[in-house]
Amino acid sequence: MTNRKVCIVGVGKIAHDQHVPAIDKSPDWELAATVSRAGSVEGIPIFRDFDVMLEERPDIEMVSLCMPPMARYQYARKALLAGRHVMMEKPPGQTLAEVQALVGMAKEKGVALFATWHSRMGKGVAGAKAALAGKEVTRGQITWKEDVRQWHPGQEWVFEPGGMGVFDPGINALSILTEILPEPVHVTRAELDFPEGRYTAIAARIEFSRGVSMDLDWLQKGDPSWDIEVETAEGTRVVLKFGGNELWVDGEKMPGAEIEEYPALYARMAELVDQRAIDVDLSPMTHVADAMTLGKRLTVEPFSF
């Protein structure tokens, strides 16, 4: 069977590191074109104008949006109105309302829409969810720290309005938390560190209901810390390390699932296209929005790449 054709829109670091290799491995998809102002993929036709691609390539039924979130709504809207299926990198947009509007368009056009949360595909996430099922959470600690200069080198957009700052990686942790907890939590308090002259935070401390807290830092040198610990009234202790890819339950390391994050996302997208279905969970973004609403803003020393 001939694979379905996909166009990557926004050919930057995440596209080269994750999306292109995942499509190459996929039994469902073939990379047929790209749209980018500057980037390209060797051997793949490139368009500089998204409208031209939509007009000239009716054979491409799905677009995978990999650009920063500030521009995502406009591209997703054009694709949906053209009857194309849409897959969106995280976060799916810069506001909740614009993503909700896209859901309405996808329903009206009868096409698939997928807001991806790649960290939910971590090898230990499903096991952590199973270990916590039916239990009462009494404490949780998220520690998500990395070096922005390593993971977003020179990418000034992360500090622009809509760029989310330290919540760009932090939302990965929130996508895992909202997947594994047996009951939802909500933000109760937050402190956000904004570098002088910047529009988004570089560090944050957040408190949630049910004794859950979160520590985000984008200035950690060396190896990143991508860890989640959860304790329950029943005595269960679940620890996820390495961004959800290593699971420990009550001090015992558990076997990981045979899964790769981005190939799993493209497999899920194929299912959604078959069903003409929508998979858009906005709970991680809701936590970010609530932290922004409740957060005490603190000004810290200037930051430059």
Side-chain angles (χ1 to χ4, degrees), residues 6-7 9 50 53-54 60-65 79 85-87:
V6 57
C7 173
V9 184
F50 187 55
M53 189 282 295
L54 290 174
I60 293 176
E61 61 178 300
M62 192 268 276
V63 297
S64 182
L65 302 181
H85 308 290
V86 175
M87 176 174 171

Side-chain angles (χ1 to χ4, degrees), residues 11-30:
V11 184
K13 187 177 190 306
I14 193 66
H16 280 293
D17 290 352
Q18 301 293 349
H19 288 264
V20 174
I23 293 170
D24 286 345
K25 294 178 182 178
S26 174
D28 304 300
W29 299 103
E30 170 193 347

